[in-house]
């Protein structure tokens, strides 16, 4: 039996994190969780982590695609928060962001880890940004690390 199962240390990896300014007060906690995992668990060097701020979740697919095309990174972590409002606007933003990013992700040779919260209210977002229900930014960073190593193992198998 051949078993392919990757670890999460990637000391030579170059990683980009895209993060939105919309709902920044939540996103800084997601970013903090992602950076903590990359540095402390992944052993990724600080100089090999690039953080890119964008206006809102709607802008994430375009920048994700630009970073994939640049061929400079081994993985991309995408961070944002869409909170339900009183109009339908949030729904379009959330669905365009997630479908745009997933279509880039499947056509990409590098992992694109998804940490866009889509919640009913601010409380649910706070719960997922380092409190009751963990930190979705940290989880996405961990996934990115594992996926980098998994792709490498598959290539060398
Ligand atoms: N952007 C977000 O990141 N989260 C939201 O909850 C949100 N809502 O609900 O409006 C949001 N809107 C802005 C959008 O992402 C674009 O930046 C804007 O439409 C300009 O293209």
């Amino acid at each position: 039996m051949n078993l392919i199962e990757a670890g999460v240390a990637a000391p030579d990896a170059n990683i980009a994190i895209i993060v939105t300014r919309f709902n920044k007060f939540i996103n800084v906690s997601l970013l903090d969780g992602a950076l903590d995992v990359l540095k402390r668990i992944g052993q990724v060097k600080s100089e090999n982590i690039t953080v890119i701020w964008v206006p809102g979740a709607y802008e994430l697919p375009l920048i994700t695609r630009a970073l994939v095309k640049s061929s400079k990174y081994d993985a991309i972590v995408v961070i944002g928060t869409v909170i339900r409002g009183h109009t339908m606007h949030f729904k379009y933003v959330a669905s365009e962001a997630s479908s745009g990013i997933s279509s880039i992700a499947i056509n990409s040779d590098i992992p694109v880890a998804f940490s866009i919260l889509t919640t009913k209210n601010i409380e649910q977002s706070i719960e997922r940004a380092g409190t009751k229900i963990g930190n979705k930014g940290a989880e996405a960073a961990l996934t990115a690390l594992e996926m980098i190593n998994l792709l490498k193992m598959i290539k060398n198998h």
Side-chain angles (χ1 to χ4, degrees):
M1 184 186 84
N2 294 306
L3 176 67
I4 301 182
E5 193 171 36
V8 290
D12 297 320
N14 265 302
I15 299 183
I17 305 176
I18 320 174
V19 54
T20 65
R21 270 194 302 274
F22 205 105
N23 294 320
K24 186 176 178 181
F25 76 109
I26 298 288
N27 298 335
V28 288
S29 297
L30 298 173
L31 175 62
D32 197 44
L35 289 172
D36 181 55
V37 163
L38 294 181
K39 291 181 195 166
R40 216 165 36 80
I41 299 175
Q43 302 291 303
V44 180
K45 296 172 199 81
S46 201
E47 64 266 30
N48 290 350
I49 303 172
T50 303
V51 176
I52 299 130
W53 286 91
V54 300
Y58 194 79
E59 283 68 42
L60 288 169
L62 178 64
I63 303 304
T64 305
R65 194 181 62 183
L67 294 176
V68 167
K69 278 173 103 178
S70 77
S71 302
K72 286 183 183 163
Y73 303 100
D74 299 300
I76 299 169
V77 179
V78 180
I79 291 176
T81 302
V82 183
I83 302 173
R84 184 190 274 179
H86 295 295
T87 68
M88 295 301 282
H89 187 65
F90 80 94
K91 208 172 169 181
Y92 298 117
V93 170
S95 72
E96 289 309 311
S98 62
S99 66
I101 290 162
S102 51
S103 78
I104 294 158
I106 21 175
N107 291 304
S108 161
D109 289 332
I110 58 164
V112 177
F114 187 89
S115 173
I116 302 181
L117 302 180
T118 47
T119 63
K120 286 184 185 161
N121 51 49
I122 289 172
E123 193 182 4
Q124 284 187 345
S125 290
I126 293 170
E127 284 172 356
R128 288 157 181 80
T131 61
K132 267 194 212 167
I133 311 182
N135 186 312
K136 298 295 168 193
E139 284 175 26
L142 200 59
T143 299
L145 291 167
E146 183 175 344
M147 291 295 285
I148 290 170
N149 289 333
L150 198 51
L151 287 173
K152 214 183 276 176
M153 287 174 82
I154 289 167
K155 212 170 163 184
N156 297 332
H157 180 63

